[in-house]
Amino acid sequence: MFISRMWSDEVERIGKHRCTPVGYALHGVGQLFGFFALFLLLVVIVYVPYRAVIGEFNRLLLWLLLAPFVIGLLGRGIVTVSWLLARRKRFQYDYERRVSRWVEDGVERTYTYADWEAEHRCKP
Protein backbone atom coordinates (compact mmCIF):
# COMPACT_ATOMS: atom_id res chain seq x y z
CA MET A 1 0.00 0.00 0.00
CA PHE A 2 2.73 2.46 0.88
CA ILE A 3 5.32 1.61 -1.75
CA SER A 4 4.31 1.04 -5.37
CA ARG A 5 5.95 -1.62 -7.49
CA MET A 6 9.47 -1.10 -8.74
CA TRP A 7 10.21 -0.65 -12.40
CA SER A 8 10.73 -3.95 -14.20
CA ASP A 9 13.52 -2.46 -16.23
CA GLU A 10 15.23 0.83 -16.92
CA VAL A 11 13.67 0.68 -20.39
CA GLU A 12 10.19 0.71 -18.84
CA ARG A 13 11.05 3.69 -16.62
CA ILE A 14 12.59 5.76 -19.41
CA GLY A 15 9.80 4.72 -21.79
CA LYS A 16 7.14 6.00 -19.39
CA HIS A 17 9.11 9.20 -18.90
CA ARG A 18 9.24 9.78 -22.66
CA CYS A 19 5.61 8.77 -23.10
CA THR A 20 4.19 11.10 -20.45
CA PRO A 21 6.57 13.36 -18.53
CA VAL A 22 3.69 14.63 -16.37
CA GLY A 23 2.64 11.06 -15.55
CA TYR A 24 6.24 10.18 -14.72
CA ALA A 25 6.47 13.18 -12.37
CA LEU A 26 3.18 12.20 -10.73
CA HIS A 27 4.55 8.69 -10.26
CA GLY A 28 7.49 10.12 -8.35
CA VAL A 29 5.24 12.34 -6.23
CA GLY A 30 3.00 9.38 -5.43
CA GLN A 31 6.00 7.33 -4.36
CA LEU A 32 7.16 10.17 -2.10
CA PHE A 33 3.72 10.26 -0.49
CA GLY A 34 3.97 6.51 0.09
CA PHE A 35 7.43 6.80 1.61
CA PHE A 36 6.30 9.64 3.87
CA ALA A 37 3.24 7.62 4.95
CA LEU A 38 5.40 4.63 5.81
CA PHE A 39 7.78 6.83 7.80
CA LEU A 40 4.85 8.49 9.56
CA LEU A 41 3.41 5.08 10.46
CA LEU A 42 6.66 4.14 12.16
CA VAL A 43 6.71 7.46 14.04
CA VAL A 44 3.10 7.07 15.20
CA ILE A 45 3.70 3.47 16.29
CA VAL A 46 6.48 4.75 18.55
CA TYR A 47 4.81 8.01 19.63
CA VAL A 48 1.44 6.68 20.82
CA PRO A 49 2.91 4.05 23.19
CA TYR A 50 5.47 6.62 24.38
CA ARG A 51 2.64 8.96 25.38
CA ALA A 52 0.98 6.05 27.22
CA VAL A 53 4.18 5.22 29.10
CA ILE A 54 4.74 8.79 30.30
CA GLY A 55 1.10 9.00 31.42
CA GLU A 56 -0.15 11.54 28.87
CA PHE A 57 -2.17 9.18 26.70
CA ASN A 58 -5.39 10.49 25.24
CA ARG A 59 -7.81 8.36 23.21
CA LEU A 60 -7.80 11.04 20.50
CA LEU A 61 -4.17 10.09 19.80
CA LEU A 62 -5.48 6.90 18.21
CA TRP A 63 -6.70 9.05 15.31
CA LEU A 64 -3.04 9.61 14.48
CA LEU A 65 -2.90 5.96 13.39
CA LEU A 66 -5.29 6.81 10.58
CA ALA A 67 -3.10 9.56 9.04
CA PRO A 68 -0.42 7.30 7.50
CA PHE A 69 -3.07 5.16 5.82
CA VAL A 70 -4.89 8.19 4.39
CA ILE A 71 -1.62 9.62 3.08
CA GLY A 72 -0.66 6.19 1.71
CA LEU A 73 -3.98 5.90 -0.13
CA LEU A 74 -3.51 9.40 -1.53
CA GLY A 75 -0.06 8.40 -2.79
CA ARG A 76 -1.48 5.22 -4.33
CA GLY A 77 -4.14 7.31 -6.06
CA ILE A 78 -1.52 9.65 -7.51
CA VAL A 79 0.47 6.69 -8.88
CA THR A 80 -2.74 5.28 -10.37
CA VAL A 81 -3.43 8.59 -12.11
CA SER A 82 0.11 8.53 -13.53
CA TRP A 83 -0.56 5.10 -15.06
CA LEU A 84 -3.91 6.29 -16.41
CA LEU A 85 -2.10 9.11 -18.22
CA ALA A 86 0.30 6.57 -19.71
CA ARG A 87 -2.55 4.28 -20.74
CA ARG A 88 -4.24 7.18 -22.53
CA LYS A 89 -1.27 7.08 -24.88
CA ARG A 90 -1.52 3.26 -24.95
CA PHE A 91 1.78 2.77 -23.13
CA GLN A 92 2.86 -0.86 -22.97
CA TYR A 93 6.01 -2.54 -21.84
CA ASP A 94 7.05 -5.91 -23.30
CA TYR A 95 9.05 -7.70 -20.59
CA GLU A 96 10.44 -10.38 -22.88
CA ARG A 97 11.67 -8.05 -25.64
CA ARG A 98 12.49 -5.13 -23.31
CA VAL A 99 10.54 -2.64 -25.41
CA SER A 100 8.33 0.27 -24.33
CA ARG A 101 5.64 1.29 -26.82
CA TRP A 102 3.18 4.17 -26.89
CA VAL A 103 1.22 6.23 -29.41
CA GLU A 104 1.94 9.93 -29.71
CA ASP A 105 0.19 12.15 -32.28
CA GLY A 106 -1.05 9.03 -34.07
CA VAL A 107 2.48 7.65 -34.46
CA GLU A 108 3.73 4.62 -32.54
CA ARG A 109 6.89 5.39 -30.59
CA THR A 110 9.23 2.85 -29.08
CA TYR A 111 12.12 2.78 -26.68
CA THR A 112 14.19 -0.40 -26.64
CA TYR A 113 17.07 -1.88 -24.75
CA ALA A 114 19.25 -1.19 -27.80
CA ASP A 115 18.35 2.51 -27.49
CA TRP A 116 19.30 2.41 -23.82
CA GLU A 117 22.61 0.71 -24.62
CA ALA A 118 23.40 3.28 -27.30
CA GLU A 119 22.77 6.12 -24.83
CA HIS A 120 24.91 4.55 -22.10
CA ARG A 121 27.75 3.10 -24.11
CA CYS A 122 31.14 4.02 -22.70
CA LYS A 123 33.05 6.39 -24.91
CA PRO A 124 36.80 5.88 -25.23
Side-chain angles (χ1 to χ4, degrees):
M1 172 181 168
F2 296 110
I3 305 297
S4 60
R5 75 170 181 83
M6 294 294 294
W7 300 103
S8 299
D9 192 347
E10 196 65 4
V11 173
E12 180 186 25
R13 186 187 68 78
I14 294 171
K16 184 176 179 185
H17 184 257
R18 291 188 178 182
C19 170
T20 173
V22 172
Y24 181 79
L26 284 174
H27 190 104
V29 169
Q31 286 183 328
L32 282 175
F33 268 72
F35 175 76
F36 178 70
L38 184 60
F39 179 73
L40 185 60
L41 178 65
L42 297 174
V43 168
V44 168
I45 286 174
V46 170
Y47 180 69
V48 171
Y50 167 74
R51 291 285 299 261
V53 167
I54 65 170
E56 295 180 8
F57 181 77
N58 184 347
R59 288 187 357 219
L60 292 176
L61 286 173
L62 294 176
W63 283 101
L64 286 176
L65 290 171
L66 188 60
F69 294 101
V70 170
I71 294 170
L73 285 173
L74 182 62
R76 176 65 69 186
I78 293 170
V79 170
T80 300
V81 168
S82 82
W83 282 109
L84 290 173
L85 289 174
R87 285 194 180 90
R88 259 188 7 191
K89 290 188 175 184
R90 293 189 267 171
F91 178 81
Q92 294 179 340
Y93 177 68
D94 184 346
Y95 300 95
E96 293 176 11
R97 294 188 181 101
R98 297 179 82 177
V99 175
S100 293
R101 288 181 164 64
W102 66 95
V103 176
E104 192 171 339
D105 299 326
V107 177
E108 183 178 287
R109 310 271 185 201
T110 61
Y111 185 77
T112 65
Y113 180 71
D115 296 332
W116 182 85
E117 275 188 323
E119 291 174 0
H120 294 86
R121 190 169 292 142
C122 294
K123 296 178 181 162

